[in-house]
Amino acid sequence: MALTPTRNAAEALDSQDPLAHKREEFFIEEGTIYLDGNSLGPAPKAVFDSIDRTMREEWAKGLIRSHNTAGWFMLTDTLGDRLAQMLGAGEGEIVVCDTTSLNIYKTLHAALSMKPGRRKIVAEGTSFPTNLYMAEGVRSTLGDATLALEGRDGDRIEDMIDANTAVVMLNHVDYRSGVIRDVKALTKLAHERGALVMVDMCHSAGVIPVDLHDLNVDFAVGCTYKYLNGGPGSPAYAYAAKRHHGKFTQPLSGWHGHAAPFKFEQSYRQGEGARALLCGTQHTLSMRALQSGLAVFDDVKITDLYSKGRALSDLFVQLVESFADDFGIGFYSPKDGTLRNGQVSLTHAEGGYAIVQALIARGVIGDFRQPNVMRFGFTPLYLRFADVWDAANHLYEVMRTEEWKEDRFNVVNTVT
Ligand SMILES: *Cc1c(COP(=O)(O)O)cnc(C)c1O
């Protein structure tokens, strides 16, 4: 069977792609089709020189002076302001720091600190687990706070936001399915009921248009090693709307969040704006790597990225649809491209994990999420339409030949 549309048709789309030249800015090995940029973005080529310079010049020669002369100390803010341009926020509203998990802890506390009469956190039961675990941590540190989950304690989040709700924690995009949530409408509703909103943008920033001011959320967090290509373990970010600056507190009151870190005072005085969300010294090398990741976005419009991501994923859906039923493959993500972020997740009753392993052996890198979800991220900066065609064709071959049943693809690794 030959898949339709044909590979030639996919190549024709590549020849008309205005973003085609961006692929050269990344290091992608020959023979690799990388469909996991939604988990860890690939290395921008500029990162190698940047890290080298940071080590040889700024660290080896500049030593401690580089905190000032190379701008190390303020990278939390300069990178935050760069992200703010991409995400529809203003200067001083975003800081780059810590991990998404830690930033969830700080921003949930910050929201609760602004609503002393309200003790409930409302969240989606389908949230990325760390979001829920951190909310449980917030609940345990506050003692009297409660956590209500959509799908467990109520059917619809809309109906769960009540007079005791301090904060609603949302995912802009669901990590398993790629489905985009209507954060703007939910935020409006939460505000009408007197609650605040904290949104996780791990799967939206850098791949779909995000305008934090338009969404009108109160706090936001996200990671930078996925669609923003900041590198393994690159720091996360935290957003606090300007209208709340000076009005919240958070418990990780480290010296970098202090109003005057280098006065070395005995007591904590909270710093200004989003800087109040900082805690301690950051990973400078990782921040330099992130800088290279963000620079790739300098000459692209997010709306163009979004259109291409959709077109790539729509092509994959179309190709897979032609054989999915024959092999028991289901669609976990909606087929309608307007509902998702450019990720397509498929299901298979017994084979999910093994199918992903068999594809990886063929150079097509996706990932697997419990219980039976195969995730394929169609990131527009470096993927070609021909890659999408080849990936679908490999999937077809893995299924047709039953290659996935081989023992070697059925050994479970630590990281799936
Ligand atoms: C990737 C991801 C995280 C990761 O959190 P870390 O603290 O960086 O490990 C958190 N939330 C969501 C929704 C994610 O997709």
Side-chain angles (χ1 to χ4, degrees):
M1 185 184 101
L3 301 185
T4 43
T6 62
R7 194 173 194 282
N8 280 347
E11 283 173 8
L13 292 172
D14 282 322
S15 66
Q16 293 155 20
D17 173 14
L19 292 170
H21 64 287
K22 297 302 286 181
R23 179 178 170 86
E24 286 158 29
E25 295 180 35
F26 291 91
F27 181 86
I28 295 170
E29 246 179 346
E30 196 62 43
T32 296
I33 299 176
Y34 195 56
L35 306 183
D36 214 5
N38 48 335
S39 222
L40 174 70
K45 288 178 185 162
V47 79
F48 307 127
D49 279 347
S50 168
I51 294 293
D52 193 66
R53 201 176 336 106
T54 304
M55 302 281 266
R56 292 179 196 277
E57 300 295 323
E58 297 174 8
W59 180 18
K61 296 183 190 162
L63 294 167
I64 189 74
R65 292 166 290 199
S66 289
H67 275 299
N68 291 313
T69 55
W72 285 354
F73 188 76
M74 291 306 284
L75 276 172
T76 49
D77 298 50
T78 46
L79 291 177
D81 287 343
R82 173 68 189 89
L83 267 175
Q85 290 167 3
M86 280 177 67
L87 305 178
E91 267 187 30
E93 286 186 309
I94 296 183
V95 281
V96 165
C97 61
D98 303 329
T99 63
T100 304
S101 303
L102 281 170
N103 290 338
I104 290 167
Y105 187 79
K106 291 181 283 183
T107 52
L108 283 181
H109 264 289
L112 278 149
S113 76
M114 292 175 60
K115 296 281 173 189
R118 294 169 175 243
R119 300 325 281 156
K120 189 159 77 179
I121 304 168
V122 175
E124 298 148 322
T126 52
S127 293
F128 191 89
T130 204
N131 299 46
L132 301 181
Y133 305 160
M134 294 313 287
E136 286 178 12
V138 172
R139 187 187 60 190
S140 72
T141 30
L142 287 178
D144 59 346
T146 59
L147 172 64
L149 300 185
E150 182 182 41
R152 184 187 73 183
D153 306 306
D155 290 337
R156 293 169 69 238
I157 220 161
E158 288 86 340
D159 305 326
M160 298 168 66
I161 308 169
D162 60 18
N164 189 33
T165 306
V167 56
V168 182
M169 173 167 65
L170 298 173
N171 287 280
H172 197 183
V173 170
D174 182 89
Y175 78 103
R176 271 206 197 91
S177 64
V179 169
I180 304 169
R181 189 132 205 187
D182 189 348
V183 170
K184 186 174 174 176
L186 280 171
T187 301
K188 186 164 177 287
L189 183 80
H191 286 172
E192 280 162 10
R193 298 193 188 155
L196 297 169
V197 171
M198 191 280 271
V199 66
D200 183 317
M201 303 194 299
C202 283
H203 290 270
S204 59
V207 65
I208 67 169
V210 175
D211 187 331
L212 282 164
H213 285 174
D214 184 57
L215 295 175
N216 204 25
V217 295
D218 303 282
F219 296 94
V221 299
C223 65
T224 64
Y225 49 78
K226 294 173 182 159
Y227 293 101
L228 299 171
N229 311 310
S234 63
Y237 53 91
Y239 164 85
K242 188 161 187 168
R243 60 182 179 278
H244 301 321
H245 288 185
K247 297 186 183 142
F248 62 84
T249 58
Q250 60 90 3
L252 301 184
S253 43
W255 70 307
H256 282 220
H258 192 279
F262 285 89
K263 284 203 172 149
F264 294 100
E265 295 170 5
Q266 196 168 38
S267 290
Y268 187 72
R269 274 194 299 127
Q270 184 169 295
E272 276 183 26
R275 286 188 61 82
L277 293 169
L278 295 177
C279 183
T281 305
Q282 293 302 315
H283 309 286
T284 307
L285 291 176
S286 284
M287 293 211 281
R288 276 284 184 249
L290 172 58
Q291 203 162 24
S292 301
L294 295 179
V296 174
F297 290 87
D298 281 352
D299 62 350
V300 293
K301 289 213 279 296
I302 293 283
T303 45
D304 290 345
L305 286 176
Y306 180 44
S307 325
K308 182 178 168 190
R310 266 196 53 194
L312 290 167
S313 61
D314 285 349
L315 175 62
F316 187 71
V317 167
Q318 199 185 350
L319 290 163
V320 173
E321 256 189 318
S322 66
F323 59 82
D325 288 347
D326 300 343
F327 303 115
I329 290 176
F331 283 83
Y332 186 82
S333 300
K335 288 180 186 169
D336 178 353
T338 61
L339 302 177
R340 50 178 161 70
N341 71 338
Q343 170 181 321
V344 179
S345 303
L346 305 174
T347 56
H348 189 269
E350 325 99 82
Y353 177 78
I355 294 167
V356 169
Q357 293 309 308
L359 285 171
I360 291 174
R362 287 167 166 263
V364 182
I365 305 181
D367 65 24
F368 175 75
R369 290 293 176 261
Q370 291 290 345
N372 62 347
V373 179
M374 303 179 273
R375 297 194 313 170
F376 302 101
F378 294 95
T379 44
L381 278 172
Y382 44 86
L383 284 174
R384 298 168 295 204
F385 289 90
D387 294 328
V388 174
W389 195 93
D390 290 342
N393 196 48
H394 279 299
L395 177 61
Y396 173 67
E397 288 299 321
V398 163
M399 301 314 295
R400 187 184 62 80
T401 60
E402 300 197 335
E403 193 173 293
W404 62 273
K405 290 189 178 164
E406 291 175 25
D407 287 348
R408 62 188 174 128
F409 299 134
N410 286 278
V411 183
V412 180
N413 294 318
T414 316
V415 175
T416 62

